[in-house]
Amino acid sequence: MGLFALLLAGCLPEVEYTDEPTLAFARFEAREDGTATMVLNFTDGDGNVGLTQADTLPPFCQTCLHHYNLVGEYQEWRDTSWVIPELIVPYAYRVPVAEPTGSSPALDGTISIELTSWYLSGTAADSVRFAWTLWDRDLNPSNEALSAAVAVP
């Protein structure tokens, strides 16, 4: 019985994804202290998602556009539409390199972001949401993953 299961597992087709990363909103968990966790699912067919600490030369240098490979656009619902306020500190992160397992370079996984604050203090907004984009090392952008709207406490 064990040998059959091993052979069956060896015959499973390899998963294929596009070479450009894809993102999908998974969940948002707000806490009473004003912090939150945002969870996104991702896939990448050629397995080149993530940056190392050594990735400091262009196009990943500190002043370069792609220093951060995960960027969130903060949006607020005011009256009848979504508004994008200008932020002093953007929602921008350096996602570390994800190592594929097995012989395929394809990746799928989750990105968990700890938000020390997730809405502007004193906002007149009813709710907020985020639009996230992930870039791979070839500078291919993902689709835009839109979070669910979250009521401001």
Side-chain angles (χ1 to χ4, degrees), residues 1 12 14 20-21 36 41 72 79 83 88 96 105 108 110 113 118 125 134-135 137 148:
M1 183 70 153
L12 293 175
E14 287 191 11
E20 296 78 26
N41 295 326
D79 299 323
V83 176
I88 295 171
D108 66 18
T110 60
I113 307 158
W118 57 271
L134 174 68
W135 280 269
R137 288 188 299 277

Side-chain angles (χ1 to χ4, degrees), residues 28-138:
F28 180 87
E29 300 164 356
R31 293 182 284 279
E32 288 186 22
D33 66 358
T35 63
T37 301
M38 176 82 62
V39 180
L40 304 168
N41 295 326
F42 77 94
T43 65
D44 184 59
D46 58 2
N48 66 346
V49 167
L51 299 172
T52 68
Q53 288 184 344
D55 288 322
T56 58
L57 298 175
F60 308 116
C61 66
Q62 274 195 318
T63 58
C64 294
L65 178 63
H66 295 286
H67 178 71
Y68 298 103
N69 57 351
L70 179 66
V71 177
E73 178 183 79
Y74 173 83
Q75 302 174 1
E76 294 184 335
W77 181 260
R78 293 190 198 156
D79 299 323
T80 60
S81 64
W82 289 102
V83 176
I84 303 167
E86 193 169 323
L87 302 177
I88 295 171
V89 179
Y91 288 91
Y93 304 91
R94 286 178 61 97
V95 174
V97 171
E99 295 292 335
T101 58
S103 61
S104 171
L107 294 170
D108 66 18
T110 60
I111 299 170
S112 181
I113 307 158
E114 291 300 317
L115 303 172
T116 55
S117 63
W118 57 271
Y119 61 92
L120 296 177
S121 181
T123 184
D126 298 326
S127 331
V128 301
R129 68 180 184 184
F130 294 85
W132 295 96
T133 303
L134 174 68
W135 280 269
D136 66 17
R137 288 188 299 277
D138 290 335

